[in-house]
Amino acid sequence: MNVACSQFVAHPTGLSLTLTLNEIIAGQTARRAESDPMTSWLSSASRSKPNVLFLLVDDFRPFLRSYGESFMVTPNIDQLASKSVRFDRAYAQQAVCVPSRLSFTTGRRPLTLKVLDLKTYWRDPVRGGGNFTTLSQYFQQNGYVSHGAGKIYHNGKGGGDHNSVEQQDREKRSASYIYVNETATEKLKDTLVTDHAIRWLENRDTQKPFFLAVGFSKPHLPFAFPQKFLALYDETNIQLAKYRTPPAGLPRFVLNSWGELRGYADIKALGLASNELVLPDDVQFKLKQAYAAAVTHVDDQVGRLLSRLSELGLTNNTIITFISDHGL
């Protein structure tokens, strides 16, 4: 099952990036620029290895203006996309967090990794597919400082190959599928992850290039965001799906029973039977509104991180990627 997701690779000039990993870590960027006009921006860069900022978002379908969703308020990601190589046909290997994330961080298919669920540890000598080198390991083995913040691997299971920081996800204890709360003393998880990433950039080892992976947990359920972002979306710009009921004769097994969503108290309170697969229109509206607000919250954090990257003078020598593990 292939699920569309958002993905692009950026350099400030927005020209096509055709470098291989080996060329990046070997510091061959300036030489490559001489023969590849699509990477001519590299001629002004130093011959040192470029930094890499790897931005990863959870359960993120292409709800961005840069992907044609005009009602979305995502100025920071859209600005990044405008300077990037944007992939319009990016597909997840599987519509589940763990196999998808492991696939693009190891370059192996889920079947090779023997991971098709949320529980299997891929380095397990009995159940796993093998002790493969991950993206962060590869950079680390080639002279980079490799660091991570937030959700990179599911539940932090990455084999200990980078210093992933998982902030406590108190939003998951919410009884509602919507968690609206952020104050100066109680920050949401993705705000804390961004804070950590910024501190790391400010205090990093400047003698080495870095590979920094930053994993945002939203817009995964529960949809968490500051109240101000919810006000950006209402009946004037949120439209329900045109087709909201299954077509006649469609086999039941192809439908999603939204089991995760059913676990929240406010959904349980609707009293829907287990075989009911259509939510009331007002609930569908609230879900889409909250999802959009959560995306804007992530956009705000991306903006904070990229602004600090620029203030530190790192933008012109940093390759930035933005990817989601799968759609919704």
Side-chain angles (χ1 to χ4, degrees):
M1 178 179 182
N2 289 329
V3 179
C5 55
S6 306
Q7 180 178 353
F8 42 83
V9 180
H11 190 274
T13 61
L15 296 179
S16 175
L17 182 66
T18 59
L19 290 169
T20 66
L21 274 179
N22 284 333
E23 288 175 311
I24 292 172
I25 64 169
Q28 295 175 338
T29 54
R31 179 175 60 80
R32 176 68 177 272
E34 297 172 0
S35 59
D36 186 354
M38 295 303 289
T39 54
S40 60
W41 56 267
L42 290 166
S43 61
S44 61
S46 70
R47 290 183 178 272
S48 62
K49 302 172 183 178
N51 304 307
V52 178
L53 177 60
F54 188 81
L55 304 176
L56 176 57
V57 192
D58 202 352
D59 282 14
F60 187 40
R61 63 172 58 193
F63 260 32
L64 298 167
R65 286 201 176 202
S66 49
Y67 275 90
E69 299 290 355
S70 60
F71 72 96
M72 288 300 300
V73 182
T74 49
N76 299 296
I77 300 175
D78 291 334
Q79 183 180 29
L80 178 64
S82 71
K83 304 174 182 179
S84 306
V85 179
R86 192 186 72 192
F87 295 84
D88 292 335
R89 299 192 66 180
Y91 300 98
Q93 289 285 340
Q94 189 166 332
V96 181
C97 291
V98 174
S100 176
R101 288 167 181 263
L102 290 177
S103 182
F104 61 66
T105 53
T106 64
R108 267 76 177 183
R109 296 184 179 89
L111 288 176
T112 302
L113 295 164
K114 297 183 180 180
V115 177
L116 302 175
D117 55 27
L118 299 177
K119 299 178 181 180
T120 303
Y121 180 38
W122 65 286
R123 292 190 192 270
D124 187 304
V126 178
R127 298 184 61 194
N131 193 24
F132 301 115
T133 299
T134 64
L135 188 62
S136 53
Q137 274 184 310
Y138 188 74
F139 277 101
Q140 194 170 40
Q141 292 168 359
N142 287 276
Y144 277 68
V145 176
S146 182
H147 190 80
K151 184 179 179 181
I152 311 303
Y153 303 95
H154 200 268
N155 298 326
K157 288 187 175 181
D161 55 302
H162 74 348
N163 305 309
S164 182
V165 174
E166 289 273 5
Q167 299 288 352
Q168 184 180 7
D169 198 354
R170 65 179 172 277
E171 295 106 81
K172 284 191 175 181
R173 299 200 299 266
S174 172
S176 172
Y177 57 85
I178 300 175
Y179 185 93
V180 184
N181 186 28
E182 177 156 271
T183 66
T185 56
E186 185 180 2
K187 296 181 179 181
L188 294 173
K189 178 180 179 181
D190 284 341
T191 304
L192 293 171
V193 167
T194 305
D195 289 349
H196 173 85
I198 289 174
R199 286 195 301 270
W200 186 86
L201 283 172
E202 293 169 341
N203 297 286
R204 74 194 188 284
D205 180 357
T206 59
Q207 300 304 309
K208 295 181 178 180
F210 64 79
F211 173 84
L212 174 61
V214 181
F216 299 105
S217 65
K218 302 305 164 189
H220 192 291
L221 280 167
F223 303 135
F225 46 83
Q227 179 67 41
K228 62 182 179 180
F229 295 135
L230 192 66
L232 298 173
Y233 304 100
D234 55 29
E235 292 83 354
T236 64
N237 53 21
I238 293 290
Q239 302 296 320
L240 295 184
K242 183 178 180 180
Y243 303 104
R244 300 194 291 281
T245 58
L250 186 71
R252 180 180 172 80
F253 76 87
V254 304
L255 298 173
N256 190 316
S257 60
W258 32 277
E260 182 177 2
L261 183 62
R262 288 179 186 270
Y264 291 93
D266 44 6
I267 297 297
K268 290 180 180 179
L270 296 175
L272 300 174
S274 60
N275 62 346
E276 289 187 72
L277 300 179
V278 180
L279 288 165
D281 282 0
D282 64 324
V283 177
Q284 291 190 37
F285 173 81
K286 290 177 181 179
L287 284 167
K288 193 168 183 178
Q289 180 190 37
Y291 185 87
V295 170
T296 297
H297 173 47
V298 171
D299 178 83
D300 189 51
Q301 300 312 309
V302 170
R304 289 181 57 215
L305 184 56
L306 296 185
S307 291
R308 191 62 183 133
L309 190 76
S310 177
E311 292 166 358
L312 293 171
L314 297 170
T315 304
N316 288 332
N317 195 39
T318 300
I319 295 170
I320 304 169
T321 69
F322 181 95
I323 187 172
S324 59
D325 54 0
H326 54 83
L328 182 66

